[in-house]
């Protein structure tokens, strides 16, 4: 009798990852996909313009969005779960990893983003140079005249002003202190003895205020950042939690930076 072999299921299309290229939530999704070795096609767009594409794909307003053969995933945590189910990463060895991921998603992510935007919007040249990696040519072309409108939209949408940015700075530092306390016993990872969703989420979302060189797209080097942001970044890099996140970038992040 002839033997019958069951072939592995192969997706009919490579998953599409709709992103804002500099977004730390999008970096979180990229990191997971690339660490798992799963193929995907990134579709990067500028802030505000991305709303059209994420709404068309998943009826939401935020990036990243992962479009697969069987689902449209509109949250970075759902993308990590999808990746974990199709790989041997074991990102969720116990509930604590998911709990920490959720904490970082809701606390570190939004406040780091608001603080970063408040600081970096003082330098339009840096926004133009580093904010459009990989986007369609026409989007890059309209960025200079479009930038004042984008700045106003982001400031309104994310409630960015001097007072809220100062509050966000303290919230970020509080999360760094929490992580530093957890690491004080000498552990190498936040949960158990392995790299999990908690570690990936902290490092990716901390990138907004650490500006790591091994990020998925080029970020401004420390020497060109405006003050006081450069000094704040320097101080956070020296914090135990900041040093931990940078070590994860060096040791756990596949380096495939886009240009």
């Amino acid at each position: 009798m002839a033997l019958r072999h069951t072939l592995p299921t192969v997706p009919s299309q490579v998953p599409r990852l709709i992103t804002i290229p500099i977004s730390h939530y999008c970096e979180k999704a990229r990191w997971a996909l690339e660490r798992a070795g799963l193929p995907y096609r990134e579709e990067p767009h500028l802030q505000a313009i991305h709303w059209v594409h994420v709404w068309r794909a998943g009826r939401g307003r935020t990036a990243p969005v992962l479009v697969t053969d069987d689902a449209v995933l509109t949250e970075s945590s759902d993308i990590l779960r999808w990746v974990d189910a199709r790989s041997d990463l074991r990102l969720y060895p116990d509930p604590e990893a998911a709990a920490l991921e959720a904490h970082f998603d809701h606390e570190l992510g939004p406040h780091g983003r608001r603080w970063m935007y408040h600081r970096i919007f003082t330098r339009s040249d840096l926004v133009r140079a580093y904010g459009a990696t990989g986007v369609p040519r026409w989007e890059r072309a309209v960025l200079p005249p479009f930038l004042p409108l984008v700045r106003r939209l982001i400031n309104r949408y994310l409630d960015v002003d001097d007072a809220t940015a100062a509050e966000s700075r303290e919230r970020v530092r509080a999360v760094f202190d929490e992580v530093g306390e957890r690491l004080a016993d000498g552990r190498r990872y936040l949960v158990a003895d392995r790299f999990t969703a908690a570690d990936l989420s902290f490092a990716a979302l901390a990138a907004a205020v650490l500006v790591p060189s091994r990020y998925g797209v080029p970020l401004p080097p420390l020497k060109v950042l405006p003050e006081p942001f450069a000094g704040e970044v320097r101080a956070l890099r020296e914090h135990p939690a900041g040093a931990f996140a940078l070590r994860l970038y060096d040791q756990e992040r596949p380096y495939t930076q886009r240009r």
Side-chain angles (χ1 to χ4, degrees), residues 51-82:
W51 285 332
V52 174
H53 299 275
V54 298
W55 176 260
R56 185 182 299 159
R59 294 298 185 264
R61 295 189 68 183
T62 61
V65 172
L66 185 68
V67 181
T68 75
D69 281 343
D70 54 3
V72 177
L73 307 171
T74 60
E75 298 289 340
S76 64
S77 55
D78 292 335
I79 294 172
L80 262 64
R81 290 280 187 180
W82 184 91

Side-chain angles (χ1 to χ4, degrees), residues 141-215:
V142 302
L143 177 57
F146 192 49
L147 184 54
L149 175 60
V150 171
R151 184 186 294 117
R152 289 195 297 272
L153 288 172
I154 290 175
N155 286 345
R156 180 178 301 175
Y157 184 62
L158 300 179
D159 190 23
V160 180
D161 59 33
D162 291 347
T164 59
E167 177 192 357
S168 289
R169 183 172 65 248
E170 296 310 309
R171 299 278 283 269
V172 168
R173 287 171 173 164
V175 174
F176 270 59
D177 288 343
E178 292 170 9
V179 170
E181 290 175 10
R182 181 176 282 265
L183 297 170
D185 61 4
R187 68 180 69 190
R188 288 183 54 77
Y189 300 103
L190 294 177
V191 177
D193 59 352
R194 60 177 292 109
F195 182 81
T196 70
D199 305 294
L200 192 159
S201 299
F202 176 73
L205 299 181
V209 294
L210 293 175
V211 199
S213 61
R214 292 177 64 89
Y215 198 71

